[in-house]
Amino acid sequence: MKSYIVGNWKMNFSVGESSVYLHKLLQKLPRHRNLEIVVAPSLVALQPLSLQTDRKKIRLAAQTANPHDFGAYTGAVSCTQLRGIVDYCIIGHSERRQLFHETDKDVRATVAAALRNQITPILCIGETETERTFGETHDVLRDQLLGGLSEVSTEDLSKVVIAYEPVWAISTTTDARLAAPDDISEVAGFIRQILRESYGKTIATSLPILYGGSVNPSNAGAYLTVPDVNGLLVGSASLIADQFVEIVEIAKRVQD
Ligand code: PEP
């Protein structure tokens, strides 16, 4: 299966800085047929960067989108408007759920909107620290996964990418809070089990599952070799060219 390295730039870089940074990445990144490299710049940078990027090397993702196609939704941008500009859309990121109050209903409608606009949804799921402490991880993940996919047709299911991002492991600098590869393996296996029970073996084995949560060049190799993990969603380290490129190089070595 293809491996994915997705960099989420969040609300960083001006449009000019984004362009300079993309240029640097395009120069430094290797091309690899089994590796999909995706970056998610700020919304305002997407259109100019779509004209600049070489899609064979780096594809673009939106960090979120509105589930409606058009209409009176001041400030929002839809997948219909993003169509042709991005190939992917990150949906249900924990920051969107927590800080912008995106609900499971919003998430599933946006996944459906992305698919009807030929955009690949990267559906983010993950438990909070409290949910983990109370032993609710599996229930939360099952709800977020099946909820997020509930408006997807059988034929479109194979076009979805899942990202498991335990909220407690995002943006941590403390080693003790990093997710252990064994824990990720257990969760990735659980996600495949749920997919198998709900949609059958073909979907369960073919959907890519990415891991995200404080990935950096020192731990990327360990995460990329976790069974059932097909790539990484990278936040902070994706903002530093040397680190992002190193993570891609590691992924390339793991693929080879
Ligand atoms: C994220 O927010 O998606 C993420 C993975 O961030 P970080 O790598 O900084 O933990």
Side-chain angles (χ1 to χ4, degrees):
M1 192 191 294
K2 225 192 235 180
S3 185
Y4 295 75
I5 302 294
V6 182
N8 179 6
W9 296 358
K10 307 193 181 182
M11 200 174 70
N12 293 291
F13 301 143
S14 66
V15 175
E17 287 164 346
S18 299
S19 170
V20 171
Y21 188 52
L22 180 68
H23 179 73
K24 201 189 255 186
L25 292 180
L26 285 167
Q27 282 185 320
K28 289 184 168 214
L29 283 176
R31 202 181 280 186
H32 192 283
R33 104 193 109 78
N34 272 330
L35 202 54
E36 183 88 327
I37 302 167
V38 183
V39 297
S42 157
L43 181 63
V44 283
L46 284 174
Q47 203 274 339
L49 265 55
S50 75
L51 302 176
Q52 180 187 343
T53 199
D54 171 356
R55 283 183 179 200
K56 291 199 185 100
K57 267 194 175 180
I58 302 182
R59 292 181 185 263
L60 296 179
Q63 297 174 14
T64 185
N66 188 275
H68 302 279
D69 285 342
F70 295 104
Y73 301 100
T74 300
V77 171
S78 70
C79 290
T80 308
Q81 294 170 310
L82 288 165
R83 185 178 181 155
I85 295 176
V86 299
D87 288 301
Y88 293 86
C89 183
I90 298 172
I91 300 173
H93 189 281
S94 57
E95 286 155 16
R96 297 297 312 176
R97 292 180 193 259
Q98 290 187 335
L99 305 174
F100 298 92
H101 313 294
E102 280 182 11
T103 61
D104 287 344
K105 192 169 164 230
D106 298 325
V107 171
R108 71 169 172 261
T110 312
V111 168
L115 288 164
R116 76 173 168 268
N117 285 288
Q118 276 75 59
I119 293 172
T120 301
I122 302 176
L123 170 62
C124 297
I125 60 173
E127 79 285 5
T128 62
E129 180 149 39
T130 312
E131 289 161 345
R132 182 180 187 231
T133 308
F134 283 97
E136 294 168 358
T137 300
H138 281 190
D139 288 343
V140 169
L141 295 178
R142 185 189 290 103
D143 286 354
Q144 291 182 351
L145 180 67
L146 297 182
L149 296 177
S150 60
E151 285 184 22
V152 179
S153 66
T154 319
E155 132 196 336
D156 277 348
L157 270 173
S158 60
K159 299 175 189 160
V160 178
V161 174
I162 309 292
Y164 169 54
E165 296 209 303
V167 182
W168 49 270
I170 291 182
S171 299
T172 181
T173 45
T174 319
D175 276 358
R177 292 179 64 86
L178 286 175
D182 282 352
D183 293 341
I184 299 167
S185 174
E186 190 278 325
V187 168
F190 173 73
I191 293 171
R192 293 223 189 268
Q193 180 197 322
I194 297 296
L195 290 171
R196 191 164 44 247
E197 287 166 6
S198 309
Y199 307 111
K201 195 170 163 213
T202 311
I203 289 297
T205 47
S206 67
L207 282 206
I209 300 177
L210 317 189
Y211 172 72
S214 305
V215 172
N216 61 44
S218 323
N219 58 33
Y223 289 147
L224 282 165
T225 43
V226 169
D228 285 318
V229 167
N230 312 105
L232 302 170
L233 180 47
V234 187
S236 318
S238 74
L239 301 173
I240 303 161
D242 287 347
Q243 294 201 13
F244 191 64
V245 171
E246 205 178 328
I247 292 169
V248 172
E249 298 277 6
I250 293 167
K252 189 168 165 277
R253 282 201 293 278
V254 171
Q255 273 280 338
D256 293 339

